[in-house]
Amino acid sequence: MRRRQLGYLMIVLLVILVVVASLAAVLSYLATVNATSGASHLGSMLALFQAESGLEYEQRRWSQNLNWYRSANDPNPSIAVAQVLGTGTFAVSSNLPATLVKTAFSPVAATLNVYTTERFPASGILQVDDNVSGAGEYLRYTGVVGTTFTGVTRGQTVGTVNTTAGVHTRNDTVYPVTILRTAMPANCTFLASIQVDANSKFLNAGTLDIEGEEVSYASAATVGATTTLSGVTRCLGLVSSVAHAVGQPVTPVLVGGDSADNQVEMLSTGTQGTNIRYARRTIQR
């Protein structure tokens, strides 16, 4: 009987040892996972802090420049330079959605002199002045030399919108123009996405004008010659909308109807070890 009891106790002891060892292994695994998760979360938060610090740095720099659109540059380099902050870095780039006429522009001029052509496509379509139903016009250009658009053809028709060559004075706004590639129905329904021809001057998020209708979008992604705008909200400030056909002109504007020459978009990348976070902000002068 005593031998049987000892054998039974040995089995119980072995089971207990196995259970204890399993619990220890599980606890060790959970501790490792928690430590890794905690470190990853901390790194991610620090990277976000770096990105947001970059925006604050850039906004302060822009606030010291009262002539945003009279700079020969955008006015940032095309490639953002990483700057050290604590144990991480941030890199900030900015984009202005327009420029200004630098020299008065007659109805027969074949070149357009502006303050900056940086980030405008090498050829394309421009809108000069805010209102194409008034003094504004569309023009096409075939090249860029310094701060001058060359090979200019005046008073262009884009889609079904007709314009006439006119006189444009110094400091009139010059907008990039792209082309709608997704037909839009005559309603104010939210759209998951629409597509336009890619244009390097357009902001990654903002507001567009399509035949007088303001349309906002939350993000943009470009593949090849096409940009997909996502999170599209229609009829801003309107009760109803008209249909927009493929081929209609698209120009940038500010939310609230202000001139786009008061807007700059900043994109900041924060890096902390292997963690990378992004932050974006659009500010007005």
Side-chain angles (χ1 to χ4, degrees):
M1 292 293 293
R2 183 171 296 176
R3 288 180 181 176
R4 290 180 180 178
Q5 290 176 349
L6 290 174
Y8 173 77
L9 291 175
M10 286 296 293
I11 293 173
V12 172
L13 180 60
L14 287 174
V15 171
I16 292 174
L17 289 174
V18 170
V19 171
V20 170
S22 298
L23 288 173
V26 170
L27 290 174
S28 177
Y29 170 77
L30 291 175
T32 301
V33 170
N34 286 336
T36 302
S37 177
S40 177
H41 178 70
L42 177 60
S44 179
M45 293 301 295
L46 288 174
L48 179 60
F49 171 76
Q50 299 286 353
E52 291 179 339
S53 296
L55 293 182
E56 295 300 324
Y57 170 88
E58 187 73 349
Q59 184 165 338
R60 178 180 180 276
R61 190 177 74 82
W62 279 88
S63 68
Q64 296 172 339
N65 179 3
L66 299 180
N67 295 311
W68 291 2
Y69 289 80
R70 293 181 177 87
S71 171
N73 300 313
D74 208 9
N76 278 354
S78 57
I79 300 177
V81 178
Q83 302 191 57
V84 177
L85 177 63
T87 57
T89 62
F90 65 80
V92 191
S93 63
S94 297
N95 189 16
L96 299 169
T99 186
L100 300 178
V101 174
K102 190 174 184 180
T103 306
F105 191 44
S106 72
V108 296
T111 60
L112 172 60
N113 189 24
V114 296
Y115 282 94
T116 178
T117 58
E118 189 169 319
R119 293 186 184 162
F120 279 89
S123 62
I125 308 171
L126 301 173
Q127 175 182 324
V128 184
D129 213 336
D130 292 297
N131 186 8
V132 293
S133 62
E137 72 171 286
Y138 292 132
L139 59 84
R140 297 180 188 271
Y141 66 98
T142 60
V144 176
V145 177
T147 58
T148 300
F149 295 104
T150 61
V152 171
T153 306
R154 306 294 302 279
Q156 293 290 286
T157 295
V158 182
T160 58
V161 182
N162 301 312
T163 64
T164 303
V167 176
H168 302 287
T169 60
R170 189 169 181 265
N171 291 331
D172 279 351
T173 308
V174 179
Y175 299 97
V177 178
T178 190
I179 304 299
L180 182 66
R181 294 303 175 190
T182 302
M184 300 172 67
N187 59 54
C188 295
T189 304
F190 174 86
L191 296 174
S193 66
I194 60 173
Q195 290 187 325
V196 298
D197 287 352
N199 189 305
S200 54
K201 196 64 176 174
F202 274 60
L203 304 182
N204 291 318
T207 306
L208 303 173
D209 179 275
I210 306 175
E211 297 184 278
E213 178 188 346
E214 288 191 6
V215 176
S216 71
Y217 59 103
S219 63
T222 299
V223 177
T226 302
T227 295
T228 300
L229 309 175
S230 300
V232 176
T233 301
R234 301 191 59 185
C235 305
L236 299 178
L238 301 175
V239 177
S240 61
S241 174
V242 298
H244 305 295
V246 170
Q248 293 300 97
V250 180
T251 56
V253 296
L254 260 186
V255 174
D258 296 324
S259 173
D261 66 356
N262 292 321
Q263 181 183 35
V264 61
E265 179 192 52
M266 302 179 299
L267 177 64
S268 179
T269 303
T271 303
Q272 185 73 36
T274 59
N275 297 278
I276 300 176
R277 296 291 296 273
Y278 303 95
R280 183 181 63 213
R281 180 180 299 166
T282 300
I283 63 173
Q284 294 177 240
R285 183 172 58 193

